[in-house]
Amino acid sequence: MRYLILLFLFSVYSFAQDPYYISVDKSNGLPSNNVYDIYQDSKQFVWFATSKGICKIDGTQIKHFHSDKLTTRSVSNLYEDKCGRIWHQDFNGNIYYIENDVIHPFIQAQANGFLRYGFINNKIFVATKNSINIYDSSTFELLKSVPTNLKDIKQTIVYQDHFYIIGKRIIGYNINGESHEIKLPKEHIYSNVAPLIVNYKDDLLIFSKYHSYYYKIKDRKISVHTSPIDSKFIQNIIAIDNHLWICSTNGVFKLNPQSNSYKHYYKGDNISCVLKTSNNKYWFSTLDEGTFLVNDIESVYIKTPHSPTKLLSQEDAIYFGNSKDEIVKIDAKYNLHTVYEGDSEHYIHTAYINPKDGILITGSSQLSINTKKRILKSPIAVKDIYRLDNKYYLISATTWSGVIYFDNSIKSSFDSVFNNLPHRQENGIHFLTIIDIEDGKSCAYNPVNQALYFVTNYGIKSYTSSETNVIQTPLGTNFNKIVVVKDNVFCIEDNEIVYHIDKNNHAKEFKFPNNFKNSGILKIRSYKDELYLIKENGIYCYNITTQKIAQILELPKNSEFIDITKRNNSYYVSLNEGIIISTVEQINPDKVHLYLSQILVNSQNVDQNKLTSLKYNENNIEVNFTIATQTLDNNYKLFYRINQNPWEPLNLSIQSIKLSSLAYGKHNLQIQLINGEQQINEDILINISYPFWLKWWFLLLVTSLLCTLVYMYFKYQIRIIHKKNKLTIEKIKLEKYLNQSKLKALKSQMNPHFFFNALNTLQSYILDNDKTNAIFYLSKFSKLTRTILEMSDKDYVNLSEEINTLTIYLDIEQSRFSDDFQYHIHIDPNLNPSELYIPSLLLQPHVENAIKHGLLHKEGQKRIGINFTDKQDYILVSIEDNGIGRKRSGELNAIKNQNHKSFATESLQQRIDLINMNLKKKITLQYIDKENSKGTIVLINIPKRKY
């Protein structure tokens, strides 16, 4: 059999090893990828001068500045003066400054081409077409204009309190405009047509864009030096610390002038400027790719031909798998050597390598075991491999998890532990099943309690003492990775939260130190006593021994983290396009600064100190602020509150707080910025004066007026109460009169004369032995009496009851008159007597008067008719008789009894008047005398009333 020799070098790849950087370009908000200059001001804002204008990092965004007064959008030469204004210059020589976030043109002068302006103390120096102009930097007043021949002048610079112009001549001007000239070598006059100048320590260095030599000016003396940099075109030189950063079309060179040695970074990139920030980060601007942000200038980034996957740390080197089923070695010079090529060209999920023993195990679409003697394969998709000892390996695979071994000759302490496990052999590989018919995701081993852990699609399970146990996890959690750090077992769920498995096999959410939030953690990895936590913005290291947590790497948003390991105090991180190597143990967190930029009151700009004396109608307040950060990927949070109310979160991209219709009085607006352990609080005191109608004197006046009005009101109410009491008393009197009237009506109906006549009639029937009529008459009489007594207790009675009572009464009276008395009662069909009510004892007295005074004295046939007619809202009751009439009846009553007063004329009308006092629609009573005294008609209009 032909054996494979492991670690045979199939191929070697060599790549440039540049520091790892995060790209900030148009996709992040830069107006252009053509960046000429970078600058950090005293407030820690990072500014960019581009081909499409000037901008700065403001919080999590890039803020652009625009002006219609710009003659061209391409700008460079950034500088901050002592007043905090940011100056810049377009390529036509026009000078501008930014104050309060507004671009202003410096209209006093135009530079001669792209000659740079200069600041010395409180003076501005500008090389114009024919002179050197000196201005006051506060008032912009022209202090002095020094006529100068600026022909062949290529550069200007401020050096040792002098403004130098450099070309074929070098002339320096002090703050008073006095000049001196430094002689140049003759060869410079003819050859150095494109000088580049830089302040380096106490020296002024003059480089050439096209040549390798440079001049050093010290104490106004010139010496010539040779640069080791061989570049076809140098476009900028920046002095940082003890080095010169030479920017060229072929990358940037870090030159040490003392040793004349250099490092070459970003070969092939067109670098225009370099900035080292206050927190030791580096920005590199390019003319075609935006900017590069480098957190660790000593880091190394290896761009790999295929996406790296699993990282393997060994004593001799770092190995990694890739997406082409290969294992690659990184040597000491960061060259890549392919040591294994699989035949599947599939993504390697996991691997184990031991170059010393010549063992390589890879897990991709299949399990592949390579030794010095043979190759073993099995068609299972392996997700994770963990080496237990020289013999056994833990495996998590699709539909299966357990232990494998392939060398039966090796003895192991686990032999007795695994003896009872189900066993099968395939192609020389021995499979010991612990979990079957479940998709394995991850596996680990804790040597302290000798427990094997497996993560499957059905949860987390442990195997110890020949038993499989289920780890108790919160309901609904779905885990995907498990690691062991010392004797601590950590696992992560799909909801991006890390859990810790305790000794009782319970998974509980882990609490990290330093208020580190256990959320948004995408992946976890481990190495010895370190737990690595991967978030969107970077990688954090939690040291189990020291109980400390620190960020070790920032990650760009467009990169995908794959794996991390450590070797010789260097971190190795595989991303989707390459591998980062860094020795930084902790990235210094960016200090964030909060500044109030503008305060508007009713849309008008005001100073902050005026907020304590606002008028009552100046209560619409807008507070705008800026946030100085040195990178875009920040984790700070913003909150605000007013008057000790609960904190409210602020949108990081909306750097403004609007307070509409703020109440009168004193307020304390607080803005809070939290950036890790850094906390910034900004207090803004606001005092809105009360309007005059809320001032004490006005309130006193209003109170007095109100008291007067209340007094007058109560006095008025007392009068009303007196009036109501008077009306109540009158009402009581009326009710008394009404009751008296009802009593009189009752008495009229039950008067002795009526009873005497009724009893006489009854007696006549008895004497005549007319038992039938006597019993009928007695029944009628008793029923009438009972009905009248019942109706006397009611104010209103049913119309049908009133008609029934009238019928009984008329039947009794008819018996008295024998056959010469007739009556009829007619009811309008539109009326429903059972639903209508009328005042009690109202109709019968009128019927009685008609009989007693009209029909009693009439000879011959006697008739009385009662009609009930529907009149919309009224019931018209007419009582018509054919008696002797009211006039003749009155005469007879007067003869018979001079003191007699008819009940109908007084009591009946008085009772109707009393009833009408409580009615909106009134009862009316009308008497109509027929012609020739042939009877009387009584018309009574009664308002309808329903119950």
Side-chain angles (χ1 to χ4, degrees):
M1 181 177 179
R2 188 174 179 181
Y3 298 121
L4 175 81
I5 299 178
L6 188 68
L7 306 183
F8 179 82
L9 303 184
F10 289 98
S11 56
V12 178
Y13 297 95
S14 180
F15 299 94
Q17 291 90 37
D18 292 318
Y20 172 68
Y21 67 85
I22 298 173
S23 179
V24 178
D25 52 21
K26 288 182 67 175
S27 65
N28 304 101
L30 277 179
S32 169
N33 284 341
N34 194 341
V35 183
Y36 300 111
D37 198 6
I38 313 178
Y39 187 83
Q40 186 177 33
D41 65 18
S42 58
K43 292 182 176 181
Q44 308 305 307
F45 285 103
V46 177
W47 295 79
F48 306 95
T50 76
S51 62
K52 292 186 178 179
I54 187 172
C55 57
K56 72 174 180 180
I57 294 179
D58 189 351
T60 59
Q61 60 189 345
I62 293 180
K63 184 175 182 179
H64 299 196
F65 295 86
H66 304 282
S67 175
D68 296 335
K69 299 177 182 180
L70 293 172
T71 59
T72 179
R73 297 175 68 183
S74 297
V75 294
S76 187
N77 294 345
L78 296 170
Y79 183 79
E80 180 186 19
D81 65 13
K82 293 183 178 180
C83 297
R85 297 172 295 202
I86 301 299
W87 294 73
H88 55 284
Q89 195 170 6
D90 66 24
F91 285 9
N92 292 327
N94 298 296
I95 303 171
Y96 304 88
Y97 63 92
I98 296 177
E99 188 173 29
N100 296 326
D101 286 349
V102 178
I103 297 178
H104 303 276
F106 185 65
I107 59 176
Q108 282 75 3
Q110 181 180 17
N112 185 4
F114 197 54
L115 294 180
R116 188 184 182 98
Y117 55 88
F119 280 81
I120 303 176
N121 297 333
N122 60 341
K123 304 290 192 304
I124 305 174
F125 287 75
V126 180
T128 67
K129 191 172 183 179
N130 299 308
S131 62
I132 302 297
N133 289 354
I134 306 175
Y135 300 90
D136 187 291
S137 62
S138 299
T139 63
F140 298 159
E141 176 188 358
L142 178 62
L143 301 177
K144 191 170 186 179
S145 180
V146 182
T148 306
N149 181 8
L150 294 172
K151 184 179 180 181
D152 298 326
I153 298 300
K154 304 298 182 182
Q155 292 287 341
T156 60
I157 193 172
V158 172
Y159 170 63
Q160 293 183 346
D161 292 335
H162 282 72
F163 181 70
Y164 281 90
I165 59 174
I166 300 170
K168 293 184 177 180
R169 299 173 298 153
I170 299 179
I171 302 176
Y173 299 85
N174 63 16
I175 58 174
N176 297 317
E178 299 168 345
S179 63
H180 67 271
E181 183 174 353
I182 298 176
K183 297 294 184 180
L184 284 168
K186 291 183 179 180
E187 59 271 18
H188 171 82
I189 297 174
Y190 299 104
S191 61
N192 197 355
V193 295
L196 291 170
I197 51 181
V198 62
N199 276 322
Y200 177 72
K201 296 185 176 181
D202 293 329
D203 303 332
L204 183 64
L205 306 183
I206 304 175
F207 284 78
S208 170
K209 290 185 178 182
Y210 305 104
H211 304 290
S212 59
Y213 61 85
Y214 64 95
Y215 301 106
K216 178 191 294 186
I217 298 177
K218 188 170 186 177
D219 299 329
R220 299 185 184 181
K221 296 180 180 179
I222 293 182
S223 58
V224 182
H225 301 266
T226 302
S227 168
I229 307 300
D230 184 16
S231 177
K232 295 181 180 179
F233 184 76
I234 298 174
Q235 46 200 17
N236 200 0
I237 301 177
I238 301 96
I240 299 175
D241 299 331
N242 294 321
H243 294 84
L244 294 175
W245 291 81
I246 300 174
C247 306
S248 75
T249 54
N250 188 31
V252 61
F253 300 87
K254 182 182 178 183
L255 174 64
N256 186 336
Q258 278 77 29
S259 62
N260 219 27
S261 60
Y262 68 91
K263 288 184 178 180
H264 192 183
Y265 299 99
Y266 305 118
K267 186 176 182 180
D269 291 314
N270 196 347
I271 307 295
S272 58
C273 188
V274 180
L275 168 69
K276 183 182 180 182
T277 64
S278 58
N279 63 346
N280 298 321
K281 295 184 178 183
Y282 284 81
W283 284 90
F284 296 87
S285 63
T286 74
L287 296 182
D288 50 9
E289 297 181 63
T291 59
F292 305 156
L293 171 61
V294 178
N295 290 303
D296 177 15
I297 197 65
E298 300 301 326
S299 66
V300 175
Y301 180 62
I302 304 173
K303 192 170 183 179
T304 58
H306 305 294
S307 296
T309 58
K310 179 71 175 179
L311 289 170
L312 305 168
S313 178
Q314 294 296 321
E315 292 183 3
D316 64 324
I318 290 288
Y319 298 81
F320 65 90
N322 65 20
S323 58
K324 298 292 287 184
D325 198 13
E326 296 175 342
I327 298 294
V328 182
K329 176 184 177 181
I330 305 175
D331 67 16
K333 294 183 178 180
Y334 307 122
N335 293 317
L336 305 182
H337 308 269
T338 302
V339 299
Y340 165 78
E341 288 183 349
D343 54 8
S344 67
E345 294 192 354
H346 195 273
Y347 189 101
I348 291 181
H349 295 288
T350 184
Y352 167 77
I353 189 170
N354 189 337
K356 183 178 179 181
D357 296 336
I359 297 175
L360 173 63
I361 305 175
T362 61
S364 57
S365 61
Q366 63 179 353
L367 174 64
S368 178
I369 301 173
N370 296 266
T371 69
K372 294 179 178 180
K373 297 181 179 180
R374 55 181 178 166
I375 299 175
L376 308 175
K377 293 186 178 182
S378 176
I380 60 172
V382 178
K383 303 300 181 182
D384 200 6
I385 300 173
Y386 186 94
R387 178 179 177 269
L388 283 176
D389 59 10
N390 291 335
K391 181 177 181 179
Y392 291 104
Y393 300 85
L394 295 183
I395 298 290
S396 285
T398 303
T399 71
W400 179 88
S401 295
V403 183
I404 68 166
Y405 67 93
F406 46 86
D407 190 345
N408 202 25
S409 64
I410 301 175
K411 300 300 179 182
S412 169
S413 60
F414 288 97
D415 288 340
S416 59
V417 177
F418 299 145
N419 273 342
N420 296 325
L421 290 175
H423 173 272
R424 67 182 176 89
Q425 182 180 357
E426 179 183 328
N427 298 331
I429 305 174
H430 297 263
F431 295 88
L432 306 178
T433 301
I434 295 177
I435 301 172
D436 203 4
I437 319 176
E438 294 183 21
D439 286 339
K441 299 180 180 180
S442 179
C443 57
Y445 172 66
N446 188 355
V448 176
N449 60 0
Q450 295 184 343
L452 283 62
Y453 294 92
F454 298 91
V455 177
T456 76
N457 58 327
Y458 285 91
I460 305 174
K461 298 179 181 179
S462 67
Y463 181 80
T464 182
S465 301
S466 301
E467 290 184 358
T468 302
N469 300 300
V470 177
I471 304 298
Q472 298 301 313
T473 61
L475 185 65
T477 52
N478 187 22
F479 293 89
N480 55 62
K481 182 68 176 177
I482 191 166
V483 296
V484 175
V485 184
K486 284 194 169 180
D487 59 341
N488 293 275
V489 183
F490 296 95
C491 50
I492 184 171
E493 64 153 336
D494 291 343
N495 288 332
E496 302 175 354
I497 295 175
V498 173
Y499 286 76
H500 178 262
I501 299 177
D502 61 20
K503 296 179 180 179
N504 297 320
N505 281 341
H506 286 81
K508 297 181 180 179
E509 188 173 333
F510 189 71
K511 292 184 179 180
F512 291 100
N514 302 333
N515 296 321
F516 182 83
K517 288 188 177 181
N518 188 358
S519 62
I521 301 174
L522 306 177
K523 296 180 181 180
I524 59 173
R525 297 291 187 268
S526 64
Y527 180 82
K528 293 185 178 179
D529 59 348
E530 293 179 343
L531 175 67
Y532 304 116
L533 309 167
I534 292 84
K535 288 195 172 187
E536 239 183 45
N537 66 314
I539 302 175
Y540 297 81
C541 176
Y542 172 54
N543 191 293
I544 299 294
T545 303
T546 63
Q547 298 289 300
K548 292 182 179 180
I549 192 166
Q551 186 176 5
I552 58 175
L553 188 69
E554 287 187 12
L555 293 175
K557 293 181 179 179
N558 58 348
S559 292
E560 181 181 355
F561 169 86
I562 306 296
D563 199 8
I564 181 173
T565 190
K566 196 173 183 181
R567 180 178 178 271
N568 296 335
N569 296 323
S570 293
Y571 293 102
Y572 290 76
V573 179
S574 59
L575 304 179
N576 53 334
E577 293 182 349
I579 295 175
I580 304 170
I581 305 171
S582 175
T583 59
V584 174
E585 292 291 336
Q586 178 177 353
I587 294 178
N588 293 326
D590 289 336
K591 291 293 183 181
V592 180
H593 303 272
L594 176 68
Y595 300 101
L596 299 181
S597 59
Q598 188 182 48
I599 298 177
L600 300 176
V601 176
N602 292 351
S603 302
Q604 299 295 320
N605 194 11
V606 299
D607 293 331
Q608 184 177 349
N609 54 12
K610 291 185 178 180
L611 292 178
T612 56
S613 58
L614 297 176
K615 297 179 181 178
Y616 72 90
N617 58 350
E618 295 177 329
N619 59 348
N620 294 310
I621 299 172
E622 179 179 344
V623 178
N624 297 313
F625 51 88
T626 58
I627 300 171
T629 60
Q630 299 186 27
T631 61
L632 282 172
D633 295 324
N634 294 281
N635 291 319
Y636 67 84
K637 302 293 181 183
L638 277 173
F639 304 90
Y640 83 99
R641 69 177 179 181
I642 187 166
N643 298 338
Q644 302 303 312
N645 287 320
W647 290 100
E648 297 287 341
L650 278 170
N651 190 327
L652 299 182
S653 61
I654 303 176
Q655 298 174 343
S656 176
I657 299 174
K658 294 183 180 180
L659 304 173
S660 299
S661 303
L662 201 59
Y664 313 123
K666 295 181 179 180
H667 304 280
N668 182 19
L669 173 63
Q670 293 177 291
I671 305 174
Q672 185 181 79
L673 187 150
I674 298 177
N675 179 44
E677 297 181 358
Q678 180 191 10
Q679 180 172 314
I680 300 174
N681 288 292
E682 186 73 34
D683 291 318
I684 303 171
L685 299 179
I686 302 171
N687 188 11
I688 301 175
S689 63
Y690 288 85
F692 71 89
W693 57 84
L694 293 178
K695 297 291 181 67
W696 68 268
W697 56 268
F698 186 83
L699 293 176
L700 181 61
L701 179 63
V702 171
T703 303
S704 301
L705 180 60
L706 184 61
C707 290
T708 304
L709 292 175
V710 169
Y711 172 76
M712 294 178 65
Y713 172 76
F714 278 107
K715 193 173 182 180
Y716 172 72
Q717 288 297 320
I718 290 172
R719 286 200 300 268
I720 291 177
I721 292 171
H722 285 313
K723 187 175 181 181
K724 285 183 178 180
N725 291 338
K726 186 178 180 181
L727 291 174
T728 303
I729 294 171
E730 292 178 356
K731 184 177 180 182
I732 292 172
K733 289 181 180 179
L734 289 173
E735 289 177 352
K736 179 180 178 183
Y737 294 150
L738 183 59
N739 291 332
Q740 290 174 352
S741 175
K742 288 173 65 178
L743 183 59
K744 288 180 180 180
L746 180 61
K747 288 179 178 181
S748 71
Q749 293 182 353
M750 302 185 69
N751 61 71
H753 183 265
F754 170 73
F755 277 89
F756 178 77
N757 290 335
L759 291 174
N760 281 339
T761 303
L762 178 62
Q763 184 180 11
S764 66
Y765 283 135
I766 295 171
L767 292 175
D768 292 341
N769 199 23
D770 188 352
K771 296 180 180 179
T772 301
N773 285 329
I775 293 172
F776 174 78
Y777 192 84
L778 181 60
S779 174
K780 289 279 186 178
F781 181 74
S782 63
K783 188 175 182 180
L784 176 63
T785 304
R786 184 174 63 254
T787 303
I788 291 173
L789 291 174
E790 289 176 352
M791 293 173 65
S792 65
D793 291 332
K794 301 178 182 178
D795 291 330
Y796 279 81
V797 296
N798 190 287
L799 181 58
S800 62
E801 294 177 357
E802 183 71 18
I803 294 171
N804 184 48
T805 303
L806 289 175
T807 302
I808 297 171
Y809 172 73
L810 289 172
D811 285 343
I812 294 173
E813 292 288 5
Q814 190 179 39
S815 298
R816 287 177 55 203
F817 290 98
S818 190
D819 294 333
D820 61 350
F821 177 76
Q822 294 181 355
Y823 75 91
H824 75 272
I825 298 175
H826 179 263
I827 303 171
D828 192 325
N830 294 325
L831 293 175
N832 188 352
S834 63
E835 293 183 355
L836 299 172
Y837 288 78
I838 64 173
S840 64
L841 306 175
L842 181 64
L843 301 181
Q844 198 259 353
H846 295 283
V847 175
E848 181 184 353
N849 281 343
I851 296 173
K852 180 179 179 182
H853 300 289
L855 298 178
L856 183 63
H857 303 290
K858 179 178 172 58
E859 298 293 335
Q861 189 70 28
K862 303 174 182 62
R863 293 188 303 272
I864 186 169
I866 304 172
N867 293 301
F868 294 88
T869 307
D870 184 15
K871 294 292 184 181
Q872 292 183 350
D873 296 333
Y874 290 86
I875 304 170
L876 176 60
V877 182
S878 68
I879 304 171
E880 183 179 354
D881 65 75
N882 64 343
I884 62 175
R886 289 196 304 164
K887 183 178 179 182
R888 180 60 181 160
S889 175
E891 292 173 353
L892 292 175
N893 288 330
I895 294 171
K896 183 177 179 181
N897 186 4
Q898 292 183 354
N899 296 325
H900 172 75
K901 290 184 180 180
S902 173
F903 179 81
T905 57
E906 283 188 30
S907 298
L908 293 178
Q909 183 61 51
Q910 185 183 28
R911 184 164 179 257
I912 289 173
D913 291 340
L914 291 172
I915 293 172
N916 280 341
M917 295 191 71
N918 292 323
L919 297 177
K920 290 184 178 180
K921 295 178 180 180
K922 309 299 182 182
I923 300 172
T924 62
L925 175 64
Q926 184 181 3
Y927 294 94
I928 301 174
D929 295 318
K930 293 183 179 181
E931 294 180 359
N932 301 322
S933 300
K934 291 183 178 181
T936 305
I937 301 174
V938 181
L939 298 177
I940 307 173
N941 259 325
I942 305 172
K944 289 181 179 179
R945 181 167 181 172
K946 295 183 179 181
Y947 282 88

